[in-house]
């Protein structure tokens, strides 16, 4: 039987310039383009929903197989940023997602700085209807292309090129020597905050066929095996840049893992792969955070941020 709580913790958070009703954000690429999951999870019950990355053009993505289980309880994907393009999304998907009352973050990608600028310009036409742009600078599945977030100068240039009325979040990778320098570059470029982290490049091998398990060869590792790396990245960036809003993302599937992300310095928590195992994971994680706060007499979830006691 569910225990009724005597009081409800305040779950609202302030993510840079954006007020969220709670800290749980559906991660890009794991919650569709719009309202696909709305019959299972009311998008308005989440802090925000991040739409799968969109380019200024339609893109087919990678050949199948695009997803597989990864060793250690994770997932490997090489979807390759398939999508209809920003303008088609605005026309065909935004109205339905908007009607759910969701706080909408739109992830964008491109092959050049100009591509990002062009996607951001299209989105300025719906500035009052979306809360943020997330510039995906860190997809590992675009064979032959550099991950922009491995270069501080390209990161800064792309964020600056996207500037407009909509706050920009830069989504970074942990596959760098010094993530703090890339984070600083994003903020210097005008980012309102950071999303940490994207998947990490990985490989699964089919030993019978002696081929990669995924059609594109390698893929991006997500889920449980990513959690410790994400926590460490969030802690290191938050420690260096304590005032910067961070959506901590990677391997979160329980309320206490989300709490760990907040303690490490995240302002909000992205949830991706967990949704594939349990479509209601975002809601259940949110409920888990509320229960944890209640059981630890934490009245407002904002009080948790960055309170990890790091050894001296
Ligand atoms: C199938 C799949 C598709 C994804 N597509 C995108 C994408 O389009 N854009 C993006 O920025 N991240 C994408 N990601 C990365 C997630 O948003 C997230 O950063 C990553 O999976 C780590 O979080 P998780 O362990 O909770 O999944 C994708 C992840 C998965 C599993």
């Amino acid at each position: 039987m569910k225990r009724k709580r005597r009081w409800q913790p305040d779950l609202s958070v302030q993510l840079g310039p954006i007020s969220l009703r709670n800290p749980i954000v559906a991660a890009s690429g794991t919650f569709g383009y719009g309202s696909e999951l709305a019959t299972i999870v009311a998008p308005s019950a989440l802090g925000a929903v991040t739409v799968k990355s969109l380019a200024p053009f339609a893109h087919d993505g990678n050949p199948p197989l695009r997803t597989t289980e990864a060793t250690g309880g994770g997932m490997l994907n090489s979807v390759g940023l398939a999508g209809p393009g920003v303008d088609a999304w605005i026309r065909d998907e935004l109205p339905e997602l908007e009607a759910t009352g969701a706080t909408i973050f739109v992830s964008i990608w491109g092959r050049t700085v100009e591509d990002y600028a062009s996607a951001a310009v299209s989105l300025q036409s719906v500035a009052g209807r979306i809360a943020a742009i997330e510039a995906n600078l860190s997809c590992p599945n675009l064979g032959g292309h550099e991950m922009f977030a491995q270069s501080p100068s390209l990161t800064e240039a792309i964020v600056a090129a996207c500037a407009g009325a909509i706050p920009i979040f830069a989504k970074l990778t942990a596959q760098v020597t010094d993530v703090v320098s890339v984070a600083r570059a994003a903020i210097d470029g005008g980012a309102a905050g950071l999303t940490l982290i994207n998947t990490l490049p990985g490989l699964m091998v089919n030993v019978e066929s002696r081929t990669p398990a995924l059609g594109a060869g390698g893929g991006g590792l997500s889920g449980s095996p990513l959690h410790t790396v994400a926590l460490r990245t969030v802690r290191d960036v938050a420690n260096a840049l304590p005032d910067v809003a961070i959506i901590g993302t990677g391997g979160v599937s329980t309320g206490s893992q989300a709490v760990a992300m907040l303690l490490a310095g995240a302002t909000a928590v992205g949830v991706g792969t967990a949704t594939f195992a349990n479509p209601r994971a975002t809601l259940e994680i949110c409920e888990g955070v509320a229960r944890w706060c209640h059981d630890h007499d934490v009245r407002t979830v904002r009080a948790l941020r960055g309170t990890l006691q790091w050894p001296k």
Side-chain angles (χ1 to χ4, degrees):
M1 204 177 63
K2 252 189 175 168
R3 220 166 11 110
K4 180 107 176 87
R5 286 196 289 267
R6 279 169 288 117
W7 53 273
Q8 298 293 336
D10 176 1
L11 293 183
S12 65
V13 295
Q14 190 64 34
L15 184 69
I18 308 162
S19 302
L20 302 184
R21 49 181 73 82
N22 63 58
I24 304 302
V25 175
S28 179
T30 66
F31 213 80
Y33 289 110
S35 51
E36 293 96 320
L37 274 116
T39 54
I40 301 169
V41 174
S44 63
L46 302 178
V49 166
T50 315
V51 169
K52 182 164 176 59
S53 298
L54 295 157
F57 43 81
H59 183 62
D60 286 340
N62 286 329
L65 193 67
R66 288 175 161 186
T67 61
T68 187
E69 270 181 49
T71 319
M75 179 171 176
L76 196 69
N77 93 81
S78 66
V79 175
L81 300 172
V86 174
D87 292 329
W89 176 82
I90 290 173
R91 187 187 62 231
D92 301 334
E93 305 279 353
L94 174 60
E96 213 175 320
L97 181 56
E98 194 177 21
T100 67
T103 297
I104 302 169
F105 292 178
V106 182
S107 173
I108 59 171
W109 73 277
R111 297 193 181 93
T112 60
V113 176
E114 293 72 30
D115 283 347
Y116 282 90
S118 161
V121 164
S122 288
L123 289 170
Q124 298 305 330
S125 68
V126 291
R129 299 162 66 188
I130 66 174
I133 292 174
E134 184 176 88
N136 176 4
L137 307 176
S138 47
C139 179
N141 297 325
L142 282 174
H145 295 280
E146 181 177 12
M147 257 202 253
F148 295 108
Q150 289 178 329
S151 156
S153 58
L154 277 172
T155 295
E156 182 173 347
I158 291 174
V159 174
C162 293
I166 308 168
I168 314 286
F169 281 71
K171 185 162 181 180
L172 306 184
T173 177
Q175 201 197 14
V176 284
T177 312
D178 177 12
V179 70
V180 171
S181 66
V182 187
R184 272 209 181 91
I187 300 305
D188 290 347
L194 307 167
T195 304
L196 305 171
I197 56 175
N198 211 320
T199 56
L200 284 175
L203 173 68
M204 287 294 289
V205 171
N206 180 334
V207 293
E208 298 308 322
S209 59
R210 303 190 186 198
T211 58
L214 295 180
L221 177 68
S222 63
S224 300
L226 203 65
H227 187 58
T228 52
V229 179
L231 273 178
R232 179 63 190 267
T233 308
V234 167
R235 155 28 244 188
D236 288 354
V237 172
N239 184 53
L241 304 169
D243 298 329
V244 170
I246 297 173
I247 307 172
T249 307
V252 172
S253 65
T254 66
S256 55
Q257 288 167 348
V259 169
M261 202 62 101
L262 297 168
L263 297 177
T267 323
V269 179
V271 175
T273 301
T275 292
F276 289 93
N278 168 12
R280 289 179 59 78
T282 43
L283 285 184
E284 291 176 15
I285 292 166
C286 192
E287 174 56 25
V289 171
R291 199 178 318 116
W292 192 96
C293 287
H294 182 268
D295 292 351
H296 293 77
D297 201 23
V298 172
R299 300 280 158 160
T300 159
V301 76
R302 292 185 296 282
L304 295 176
R305 187 190 182 197
T307 55
L308 181 69
Q309 293 175 39
W310 196 257
K312 295 261 180 279

